[in-house]
């Protein structure tokens, strides 16, 4: 290893010298006093490496303890609370992975950095998924160690700050749920449980799901329940910006770098320092920017600044297909996909529709109407009609539908199926491609039965009346029911006006 005061890194072009660990942009300077309050344990059976690391870190004024054996390390971790642990992956007596688990079981907030002489994607992902904060491949320089420990130390300080703020919020509000996330269906509960578990770590998460299903909300939940909650969550839509602008937004630029660059501009990576950067629709990012981003993730620094950022990526596409097609870099994908989280579409969680609809109804009624006006009520028939829709726009579409109704509804009125705005594609002659929902015992029997029956009735009636050209007598004969029954079924689903008017106009 190089000495504590050597750089240990070749210069790159005209880039400025990488800042030392106490010069991380946007965070409090790591003074000797702050470092003195951070306890570090080094566990490695290589005496030379262990003592060299201790020398570097003690020079920086950290409190350092060293250990060479697995059993000794286990006893130390049981008796003492360390802020940061440098842990060799391959140890005699007890493996580094087992010690990692012992450490996190005893002290979940401890930052563990795995040291490995045989780095690989599989071993690195295994360590990160088990709760490691980062990994340090051998051999490494003193400068590399200083920078990585500087980032870890800042994470410790931010975690302490976040803990104070969360405790204050809980004291004032009686709970710690900073983000409202609604859903009781088993598939959604599983998603939220995974999000809650990953929030407590520093691991990168990769969120997949259809457009409008709530991926950004899950990212917000992870951030606000993490040790970084006192710092910003910055979201960048990789599909909304052309390549040059996206690169400038993410990494910043210097004055005169291109036409129109009249001043220095810090990038979003620096703005998110200490917090979380959400890479929305990552698959749409160009390959050159992907390569530059990967370098930042691996080294923890941009051209001009060391950054300490947690990454969350999301996409409504299949990321593995994007990797196979060469659109998404495989190494970047696996670096970000430490914990994959899938958000189920709304059609797979029909039991949550009533809960969500009532939440949006109360929210938008308070926003658009007089506070004293009585809230409309959603009838059971309306719930059945809502559950029968395909919801290709997912929760976002339901949100817009409820807001539309709020604007038109009378105070205290009962909301009926005919109050639901335009059914759109469901009124076409052919109708949308439809596969009946699977029967699941996750729902109560009567709720599942009512949902499936309502879905069948809506689809059947739409196609029946469309085929009959709006002639209700012909439609009743085709269905072998009387016209009164047919009109009653149409009214239940709010079709009797919209559908007939549409067909008659055609």
């Amino acid at each position: 290893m190089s000495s504590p005061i050597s750089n240990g890194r070749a210069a790159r072009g005209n880039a400025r010298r990488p800042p030392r660990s106490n010069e991380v942009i946007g965070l409090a300077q790591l003074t000797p006093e702050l470092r003195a309050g951070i306890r570090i344990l080094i566990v490695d059976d290589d005496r030379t490496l262990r003592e060299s690391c201790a020398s570097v870190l003690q020079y920086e004024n950290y409190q350092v303890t060293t250990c060479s054996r697995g059993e000794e390390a286990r006893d130390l971790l049981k008796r003492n609370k360390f802020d940061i642990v440098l842990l060799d992956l391959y140890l005699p007596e007890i493996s580094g992975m087992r010690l990692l688990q012992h450490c996190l079981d005893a002290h979940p907030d401890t930052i563990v950095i795995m040291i490995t002489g045989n780095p690989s994607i599989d071993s690195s992902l295994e360590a990160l998924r088990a709760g490691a904060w980062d990994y340090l491949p051998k051999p490494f320089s003193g400068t590399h160690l200083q920078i990585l420990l500087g980032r870890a130390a800042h994470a410790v300080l931010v975690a302490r700050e976040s803990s104070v703020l969360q405790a204050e919020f809980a004291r004032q509000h009686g709970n710690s749920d900073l983000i409202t996330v609604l859903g009781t269906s088993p598939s959604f509960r599983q998603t939220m449980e995974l999000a809650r578990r990953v929030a407590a770590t520093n691991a990168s998460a990769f969120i997949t799901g259809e457009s409008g299903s709530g991926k950004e909300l899950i990212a917000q939940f992870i951030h606000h329940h993490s040790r970084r909650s006192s710092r910003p969550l910055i979201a960048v839509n990789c599909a909304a910006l052309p390549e040059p602008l996206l690169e400038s937004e993410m990494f910043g630029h210097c004055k005169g770098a291109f036409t129109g660059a009249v001043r220095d501009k810090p990038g979003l990576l620096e703005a998110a320092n200490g917090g979380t950067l959400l890479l929305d629709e990552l698959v749409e990012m160009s390959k050159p920017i992907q390569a530059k981003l990967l370098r930042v993730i691996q080294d923890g620094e941009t051209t001009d600044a060391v950054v300490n950022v947690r990454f969350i990526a999301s996409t409504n596409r299949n990321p593995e297909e994007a990797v196979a097609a060469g659109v998404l870099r495989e190494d970047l994908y696996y670096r970000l996909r430490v914990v994959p989280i899938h958000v189920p579409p709304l059609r797979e969680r029909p039991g949550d529709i009533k809960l969500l609809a009532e939440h949006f109804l109360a929210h938008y009624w308070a926003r658009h109407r007089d506070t004293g006006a009585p809230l409309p009520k959603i009838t059971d028939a309306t719930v059945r009609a809502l559950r029968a829709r395909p919801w290709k726009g997912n929760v976002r579409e339901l949100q817009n539908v409820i807001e539309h109704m709020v604007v038109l509804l009378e105070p205290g009125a009962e909301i009926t199926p005919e109050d639901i705005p335009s059914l759109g594609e469901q009124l076409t002659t052919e109708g949308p491609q439809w596969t009946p929902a699977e029967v699941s015992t996750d729902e109560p029997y009567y709720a599942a039965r009512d949902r499936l029956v309502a879905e069948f009735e809506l689809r059947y009636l739409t196609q029946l009346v469309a085929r009959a050209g709006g002639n209700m007598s012909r439609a009743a004969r085709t269905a072998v029911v009387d016209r009164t029954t047919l009109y009653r079924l149409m009214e239940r689903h709010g079709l009797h006006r919209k559908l007939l008017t549409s067909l008659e106009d055609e």
Side-chain angles (χ1 to χ4, degrees):
M1 282 177 51
S2 59
S3 70
I5 58 175
S6 67
N7 195 329
R9 185 187 297 269
R12 294 194 292 248
N14 296 321
R16 297 200 297 268
R17 172 186 63 81
R20 289 167 59 88
S21 57
N22 63 337
E23 297 174 348
V24 181
I25 303 300
L27 296 179
Q29 185 179 26
L30 267 178
T31 63
E33 292 75 20
L34 287 174
R35 290 198 202 94
I38 296 177
R39 303 187 63 194
I40 299 175
L41 173 65
I42 303 172
V43 185
D44 199 300
D45 59 345
D46 185 329
R47 178 180 176 182
T48 301
L49 184 142
R50 185 176 66 249
E51 292 183 353
S52 297
C53 288
S55 175
V56 170
L57 297 177
Q58 286 169 345
Y59 179 87
E60 296 262 287
N61 214 41
Y62 294 106
Q63 295 185 53
V64 181
T65 303
T66 62
C67 177
S68 61
R69 297 172 56 246
E71 290 184 353
E72 181 186 357
R74 182 181 58 188
D75 293 340
L76 276 171
L77 291 169
K78 284 182 179 179
R79 297 194 310 267
N80 303 281
K81 170 73 166 67
F82 294 94
D83 298 300
I84 302 170
V85 176
L86 285 168
L87 180 59
D88 190 9
L89 184 60
Y90 300 103
L91 286 169
E93 300 174 346
I94 301 176
S95 71
M97 291 300 294
R98 284 184 60 192
L99 278 176
L100 169 65
Q101 198 58 54
H102 281 306
C103 178
L104 295 181
D105 286 344
H107 306 288
D109 292 338
T110 298
I111 288 178
V112 181
I113 300 172
M114 304 299 292
I115 304 174
T116 173
N118 299 298
S120 67
I121 289 179
D122 290 340
S123 64
S124 301
L125 284 176
E126 182 184 6
L128 292 171
R129 286 172 179 161
W133 189 78
D134 208 335
Y135 59 91
L136 186 60
K138 301 177 186 178
F140 51 87
S141 69
T143 300
H144 191 177
L145 178 65
Q146 286 174 302
I147 291 174
L148 182 59
L149 264 293
R151 291 169 54 212
H154 274 113
V156 170
L157 298 178
V158 169
R160 292 174 182 174
E161 179 182 306
S162 299
S163 179
V164 171
L165 292 179
Q166 289 175 359
E168 179 64 18
F169 183 93
R171 187 185 66 79
Q172 293 180 1
H173 300 275
N175 64 75
S176 61
D177 290 330
L178 308 181
I179 297 295
T180 301
V181 183
L182 299 176
T184 59
S185 63
S187 61
F188 192 71
R189 284 204 307 267
Q190 184 177 2
T191 295
M192 293 310 303
E193 176 59 26
L194 187 56
R196 190 178 293 276
R197 288 169 59 189
V198 74
T201 73
N202 197 60
S204 299
F206 204 119
I207 306 174
T208 57
E210 296 179 6
S211 179
S213 57
K215 298 186 294 298
E216 185 169 352
L217 189 65
I218 301 300
Q220 292 174 1
F221 179 91
I222 292 173
H223 173 75
H224 287 289
H225 286 80
S226 75
R227 293 176 289 193
R228 297 175 176 268
S229 61
S230 64
R231 298 289 170 168
L233 167 66
I234 304 292
V236 54
N237 190 325
C238 302
L241 300 173
E243 180 178 339
L245 184 55
L246 177 60
E247 182 174 8
S248 174
E249 283 294 309
M250 286 192 61
F251 303 101
H253 61 257
C254 297
K255 179 179 179 181
F258 52 85
T259 303
V262 296
R263 58 182 175 82
D264 290 348
K265 178 183 181 299
L268 295 178
L269 280 161
E270 292 183 30
N273 205 22
T276 304
L277 184 65
L278 171 60
L279 301 165
D280 193 17
E281 299 306 333
L282 174 73
V283 175
E284 307 301 327
M285 181 183 289
S286 69
K287 295 292 282 291
I289 301 182
Q290 289 182 34
K292 196 169 182 179
L293 174 63
L294 180 63
R295 185 62 180 266
V296 173
I297 295 173
Q298 291 175 336
D299 295 350
E301 58 183 280
T302 64
T303 303
D304 298 324
V306 174
V307 291
N308 171 23
V309 175
R310 180 190 199 160
F311 293 92
I312 299 178
S314 69
T315 181
N316 59 16
R317 295 173 57 181
N318 186 323
E320 294 186 357
E321 289 180 359
V323 170
V327 176
L328 178 62
R329 288 180 60 117
E330 184 177 20
D331 47 5
L332 176 62
Y333 172 54
Y334 285 112
R335 197 68 173 83
L336 291 172
R337 187 187 173 274
V338 176
V339 180
I341 300 176
H342 179 69
V343 185
L346 187 57
R347 62 181 175 276
E348 292 181 6
R349 37 185 293 218
D352 293 340
I353 288 179
K354 181 179 180 181
L355 179 67
L356 290 166
E358 290 177 341
H359 169 74
F360 292 139
L361 178 64
H363 174 76
Y364 287 114
W365 191 261
R367 173 184 292 186
H368 296 301
R369 310 301 286 265
D370 293 336
T371 54
L375 191 70
K377 300 177 182 178
I378 301 177
T379 62
D380 291 341
T382 303
V383 172
R384 288 195 297 269
L386 290 172
R387 287 177 175 174
R389 294 186 65 168
W391 298 113
K392 290 191 175 182
N394 292 291
V395 178
R396 186 182 296 124
E397 182 185 352
L398 175 62
Q399 183 176 354
N400 291 339
V401 164
I402 299 300
E403 184 174 16
H404 176 105
M405 289 195 294
V406 162
V407 173
L408 302 178
L409 287 169
E410 293 295 327
E414 286 196 345
I415 304 174
T416 62
E418 66 177 339
D419 294 318
I420 302 174
S422 176
L423 298 179
E425 63 179 11
Q426 296 182 359
L427 300 180
T428 62
T429 301
E430 297 297 327
Q433 294 295 321
W434 172 61
T435 302
E438 294 183 2
V439 176
S440 172
T441 55
D442 292 336
E443 288 182 88
Y445 167 77
Y446 290 107
R449 184 194 66 179
D450 291 346
R451 174 176 60 83
L452 291 170
V453 169
E455 183 175 354
F456 160 74
E457 288 180 350
L458 180 60
R459 300 287 176 165
Y460 182 87
L461 293 170
T462 299
Q463 295 186 30
L464 172 69
V465 180
R467 285 182 58 188
N471 187 313
M472 297 301 289
S473 297
R474 185 187 307 165
R477 288 195 300 271
T478 301
V480 194
V481 297
D482 58 72
R483 289 182 60 184
T484 301
T485 299
L486 184 58
Y487 275 118
R488 178 175 54 79
L489 291 171
M490 296 281 290
E491 183 174 359
R492 176 187 298 176
H493 294 284
L495 297 177
H496 62 293
R497 293 181 182 174
K498 301 182 182 73
L499 184 60
L500 289 179
T501 301
S502 173
L503 293 170
E504 287 170 358
D505 288 344
E506 292 178 2

